[in-house]
Amino acid sequence: MKKKSKIIFLLCFMILFTVLNKPSVYAAEVPVTLPAFDVVLNGIKIKNEYRQYPLIVYKDITYFPMTYFDSRFLGIETKWNDVTGLEVTKSSETSVTYEPYTIARKNLNKYAASIPAFSIKVNGNAIKNSNEEYPLLKFRDVTYFPMTWKFAVDEFGWKYSFSNKDGLIITNPKYSGLKATEVELPLAVRDGGSFIGDFIVAGKYYYYEGEKGIIYQSPIDNPSIRKNVYELPLWTYGNSYVYASLETVDDKAILSYHQGGASMGTDYKIILNEDGTNETFSEGYSNRRDFGNYIINVCQFVPPSQNNLSIKKVGEAEYKPIGDNNYIYGWTWSRTENSEGGGPSKDLYLIGDDIYVLAYYKPRSENGTTGIHKVNINTGETTRLCEESAVKFIICDDTIYFMDIEGYLYKLPLDGNMAEKLTDFTVSDFTVLNHVVYYVSADNKGHELFKLGQSSSLNPGGIVKSLNIQDGYVASSFEKSSNSKFKVMILNSEGKEVFKSSIAVKKVIINDNQVFYDCE
């Protein structure tokens, strides 16, 4: 019995000795802090306060989290193996995905990290972490790299700068995506938070609605400076300010709002100039466009009336009616045996001497549909370009792409002819860039984003919230409730993804090769 006890005691001692002498994968903890300065990676300002994996500072050196997305965002790849340890290499491709890793709870300013003792290789070269003045760290179960000149520049080839004004800026020269900025402006908040003021970017300025109905202009590089450029009126039937929207048209900031009732009120469009002045571009229900030498106006009062298309040369005082008095221009309209109706259209082009616009032949006694028409500005002759109906059209070079009343897509030459049907299925929306068609699937197909000719969704599970062309890019945002990996996706004229993000946004703007967005 005593012999058995000795054997058990000896085994326990051997196990304890083995555990105590097993190489430790972590050394003692070291103190780290969050950066007290701005950090910008590939043009994106990092919000460390609410980041699950914030950048940290140890011995006055900033450390970068080697998460899957963060690493690839800066053009590096990581591999982990229990035997060989951590391997870090430069990647041949740079991910355009930025993952904020946002958490609800605000981070503290001080934490503790540990120094890992596992094997580490950078671009094939072994790193003796215990001998490094600025060793790799482990924080929240993620390895962190010191952003020293040795690693950031010599090993990874990043561009690196630091100043008290701008903070730390690191860019991967191979990064082909768009720079992104989360907009942090004091936007108006109304209706218990259900309404947030609008914003745009035009030229070098932000334009946004602040409190008390004031439209402000602020420099992009210093948004803390602002100038009052317009004051919204109070709504006629209430004690709140009118609801305003902002858009950029031909690099100009345009403010729009409605005053009065639904049918007896007035739509206003105001041009906000860079010098802080403003001018009224249009009043009333209309679609008015400035094409340089000519301004075209489509009257869209309800109910629509004939003879509603007019034009004037720049410098002239009055608009002159143009076209055929038998047509309603700028409306999607249809007539059946029991009813007729439709809505206004914003599709309007001037190419050479021809206006391209949707129009409906009003006097026709039989059932009729809206079609794409061209109107000669010299003769007023109106010509329907194809027999198919149309509710939306886009002109790309010498080709017209359009969607008919049922939701099928077509294309036809600019001068008109037989339309070529592009889909044997219906869609709910579409856009075109460089003759590549992007469409939103129909209601019963989930409203996902597709590229014509491909069967797979560009963002599986993503319910399209907005789809448009901006600054030569396809910009798409997706509903926050979408069961998709990304909530923003931007493609260039070659169809290449140049920016993706899992951040749900209220609005996304592209201006001068930069993305601006405000989070939901």
Side-chain angles (χ1 to χ4, degrees):
M1 193 69 179
K2 291 182 178 179
K3 184 176 182 181
K4 185 175 181 181
S5 298
K6 289 181 180 180
I7 294 173
I8 293 173
F9 175 79
L10 180 62
L11 287 174
C12 291
F13 180 81
M14 291 176 64
I15 292 172
L16 179 61
F17 181 85
T18 302
V19 171
L20 290 175
N21 286 274
K22 182 180 179 180
S24 175
V25 293
Y26 301 111
E29 292 184 336
V30 296
V32 297
T33 61
L34 263 64
F37 45 83
D38 291 340
V39 180
V40 179
L41 304 180
N42 281 344
I44 294 181
K45 184 178 178 181
I46 307 302
K47 300 182 71 172
N48 283 297
E49 293 88 347
Y50 293 93
R51 209 170 195 268
Q52 183 179 2
Y53 306 108
L55 279 77
I56 57 177
V57 176
Y58 173 62
K59 287 186 173 181
D60 295 326
I61 292 296
T62 306
Y63 277 67
F64 170 75
M66 304 290 284
T67 66
Y68 178 87
F69 286 111
D70 287 330
S71 300
R72 282 155 181 78
F73 184 62
L74 282 177
I76 53 180
E77 294 183 8
T78 59
K79 293 181 181 179
W80 167 260
N81 185 288
D82 289 335
V83 177
T84 60
L86 178 68
E87 294 186 32
V88 183
T89 58
K90 291 173 66 174
S91 175
S92 58
E93 296 184 4
T94 303
S95 171
V96 298
T97 303
Y98 171 66
E99 171 58 57
Y101 293 106
T102 303
I103 55 177
R105 187 175 60 183
K106 186 176 182 179
N107 285 316
L108 303 176
N109 289 325
K110 296 181 180 180
Y111 286 99
S114 57
I115 302 174
F118 48 71
S119 299
I120 301 169
K121 286 185 178 181
V122 177
N123 290 332
N125 300 315
I127 301 294
K128 293 183 179 180
N129 203 38
S130 59
N131 295 338
E132 291 287 327
E133 181 180 2
Y134 305 105
L136 278 74
L137 298 177
K138 195 85 169 181
F139 180 64
R140 293 181 178 172
D141 293 325
V142 169
T143 305
Y144 276 66
F145 242 90
M147 302 179 90
T148 60
W149 189 273
K150 171 184 175 181
F151 288 117
V153 178
D154 294 341
E155 293 291 350
F156 302 142
W158 299 336
K159 290 184 178 180
Y160 182 110
S161 68
F162 180 84
S163 68
N164 292 330
K165 176 184 176 182
D166 299 324
L168 179 64
I169 300 176
I170 291 184
T171 306
N172 181 1
K174 291 184 178 180
Y175 178 69
S176 59
L178 296 169
K179 295 181 179 180
T181 300
E182 181 181 342
V183 176
E184 297 180 345
L185 300 169
L187 302 176
V189 179
R190 284 196 260 161
D191 301 343
S194 62
F195 173 83
I196 306 296
D198 201 3
F199 84 96
I200 57 166
V201 176
K204 299 179 180 179
Y205 297 95
Y206 291 116
Y207 295 85
Y208 67 94
E209 180 185 344
E211 297 296 333
K212 297 182 180 180
I214 297 176
I215 305 298
Y216 289 102
Q217 177 199 68
S218 292
I220 292 174
D221 58 359
N222 191 359
S224 62
I225 299 174
R226 64 182 189 178
K227 179 192 294 185
N228 180 343
V229 294
Y230 196 86
E231 294 184 13
L232 297 172
L234 289 171
W235 185 44
T236 305
Y237 299 103
N239 56 4
S240 63
Y241 296 96
V242 296
Y243 292 98
S245 63
L246 292 159
E247 61 179 331
T248 304
V249 180
D250 298 328
D251 296 325
K252 294 180 180 179
I254 305 294
L255 165 69
S256 301
Y257 63 87
H258 179 83
Q259 177 64 286
S263 59
M264 299 301 293
T266 302
D267 285 339
Y268 291 87
K269 281 191 177 181
I270 312 295
I271 299 175
L272 305 176
N273 298 312
E274 284 197 354
D275 62 4
T277 62
N278 63 77
E279 55 187 287
T280 301
F281 181 64
S282 67
E283 293 182 30
Y285 295 97
S286 66
N287 179 24
R288 183 174 294 180
R289 291 286 305 277
D290 186 344
F291 290 99
N293 293 330
Y294 293 93
I295 299 177
I296 298 173
N297 186 73
V298 183
C299 181
Q300 294 178 328
F301 277 103
V302 179
S305 60
Q306 298 157 224
N307 196 30
N308 65 328
L309 180 65
S310 59
I311 187 172
K312 76 170 184 176
K313 286 186 178 181
V314 172
E316 292 180 343
E318 301 293 333
Y319 285 88
K320 299 176 182 178
I322 190 172
D324 190 322
N325 292 342
N326 291 311
Y327 283 87
I328 298 172
Y329 295 99
W331 284 80
T332 57
W333 202 258
S334 63
R335 178 190 290 144
T336 64
E337 293 181 1
N338 300 318
S339 64
E340 62 178 303
S345 165
K346 297 299 182 184
D347 299 334
L348 185 65
Y349 297 82
L350 176 61
I351 301 175
D353 291 337
D354 292 313
I355 300 168
Y356 290 81
V357 64
L358 293 181
Y360 177 81
Y361 188 71
K362 183 67 171 177
R364 182 177 293 157
S365 59
E366 67 271 19
N367 297 343
T369 59
T370 296
I372 303 170
H373 291 69
K374 66 177 180 180
V375 182
N376 187 275
I377 62 174
N378 299 312
T379 66
E381 181 182 3
T382 298
T383 306
R384 182 161 180 157
L385 299 182
C386 64
E387 288 302 315
E388 284 78 8
S389 66
V391 295
K392 177 179 180 178
F393 74 98
I394 295 172
I395 296 179
C396 182
D397 298 326
D398 58 354
T399 304
I400 302 174
Y401 296 86
F402 68 96
M403 182 170 70
D404 72 6
I405 196 169
E406 294 180 348
Y408 294 100
L409 295 179
Y410 297 79
K411 72 175 182 179
L412 79 157
L414 193 62
D415 58 358
N417 208 323
M418 295 292 293
E420 177 186 347
K421 194 173 185 179
L422 298 177
T423 61
D424 57 4
F425 52 85
T426 60
V427 306
S428 58
D429 195 10
F430 81 102
T431 193
V432 182
L433 180 61
N434 197 26
H435 295 283
V436 178
V437 178
Y438 301 87
Y439 67 88
V440 181
S441 57
D443 295 353
N444 60 344
K445 298 293 184 180
H447 285 277
E448 293 191 29
L449 179 63
F450 291 83
K451 181 189 294 185
L452 190 63
Q454 295 185 1
S455 58
S456 300
S457 169
L458 295 179
N459 186 28
I463 303 170
V464 175
K465 179 180 179 180
S466 66
L467 175 65
N468 51 54
I469 304 297
Q470 296 186 45
D471 207 29
Y473 295 90
V474 177
S476 183
S477 65
F478 303 86
E479 296 289 350
K480 187 176 183 178
S481 60
S482 295
N483 183 26
S484 60
K485 189 173 184 179
F486 304 109
K487 300 299 185 291
V488 179
M489 180 174 289
I490 298 174
L491 301 94
N492 64 12
S493 60
E494 299 174 353
K496 181 180 179 181
E497 297 170 353
V498 292
F499 183 80
K500 295 185 293 186
S501 176
S502 62
I503 303 172
V505 302
K506 291 192 288 289
K507 189 172 187 177
V508 57
I509 294 174
I510 307 174
N511 182 273
D512 194 24
N513 294 320
Q514 188 167 351
V515 181
F516 301 86
Y517 60 87
D518 58 338
C519 298
E520 287 193 0

